[in-house]
Amino acid sequence: MKVYGVELKSRLLLGTSKYPSLEMMAKSVKAAGAEVVTVSVRRESAQFREGQDFWRIIRELGVRVLPNTAGCYSVKEAVTTAEMAREIFDTPWIKLEVIGDKGTLAPDVFGTVEAAQILAKEGFEVFPYTTEDLIVCDRLIEAGCAVLMPWGAPIGSGRGLNNPFGLKTLRARHPNVPLIVDAGIGLPSHAAAAMELGYDAVLLNTAVGVAVDPVAMAGAFRQAVEAGLAAHAAGPMPTRDYAEASTPSIGKAALS
């Protein structure tokens, strides 16, 4: 998978919040085989009180950082946060989030398109958190986004793929655009289902961070993503509205 000219072998992107400890986070990233981790610009050391240790571990892991604008509810706030992120992390990559609803954390698609246009003109390489709406995604590509990140379900809900038909349609609409399912993934089977639809990767955090055993869950997600990718490449059988016997009737014994 290539995103903005960078080749990635891993199809699993992982968040860095909600873990019980920094050590558990590091072990989970390794178990997931993730090459990219997301980090909120608003993330302070209050949770662990080990801010410097956090960055030391990130450097030791050797992963790429994808800063995000989580918690932003306006275009101005998201753009300002992205500009801060570029200074802090020294990367043009930004996961753009402009939230439109506090209850569902659904993206403000109008604000997201506007912010993406501004950031692309400023030289950012934008990873927009969006819905699977075809027109919105078209506008984001026109704004300069070379990758799209449609949600599977509301952030942190763990519901999986609420609209597989819409996601499949988006994949067919943009066969050459990297598509990453972001948000709502709760189980390895959800990740496998996204990959079976032909998606390029999945991004998740909560499902691993709050698991009883985050490291084991990260490993399970890694296997699920790899299995889903392999299944899609192998060419899944088409679904039917009727039964079809797998055993041929030719050669069947004739009983008098």
Side-chain angles (χ1 to χ4, degrees), residues 15 21 81 89 107 120 146-147 154 204 225 230 236 252:
S21 68
T81 302
F89 302 108
V147 59
L204 55 95
V225 168
K252 181 180 178 180

Side-chain angles (χ1 to χ4, degrees), residues 4 14 51 88 149 165 208 228 237 255:
Y4 291 110
L14 201 61
I88 295 171
M149 303 181 73
F165 174 78
V208 171
M237 66 172 287
L255 302 177

Side-chain angles (χ1 to χ4, degrees), residues 224-235:
V225 168
E226 291 173 351
L229 178 66
H232 177 73

Side-chain angles (χ1 to χ4, degrees), residues 237-250:
M237 66 172 287
T239 58
R240 302 186 179 92
D241 293 328
Y242 54 88
E244 181 175 308
S246 58
T247 303
S249 58
I250 298 176

Side-chain angles (χ1 to χ4, degrees), residues 13-17 19 25 29 36-39 203-206 208:
L13 289 71
L14 201 61
T16 54
S17 66
Y19 296 90
M25 179 202 73
V29 171
V36 177
V37 297
T38 61
V39 177
L203 191 160
L204 55 95
N205 187 168
T206 305
V208 171

Side-chain angles (χ1 to χ4, degrees), residues 20-64:
S21 68
L22 288 173
E23 181 183 11
M24 193 69 73
M25 179 202 73
K27 289 182 177 179
S28 297
V29 171
K30 290 180 180 177
E35 296 176 83
V36 177
V37 297
T38 61
V39 177
S40 173
V41 179
R42 295 169 178 240
R43 186 188 189 287
E44 301 295 342
S45 60
Q47 181 182 0
F48 300 112
R49 301 188 184 280
E50 299 172 332
Q52 294 303 314
D53 284 345
F54 174 82
W55 295 116
R56 174 182 57 78
I57 289 174
I58 292 296
R59 288 193 295 271
E60 290 176 352
L61 287 170
V63 293
R64 296 184 68 93

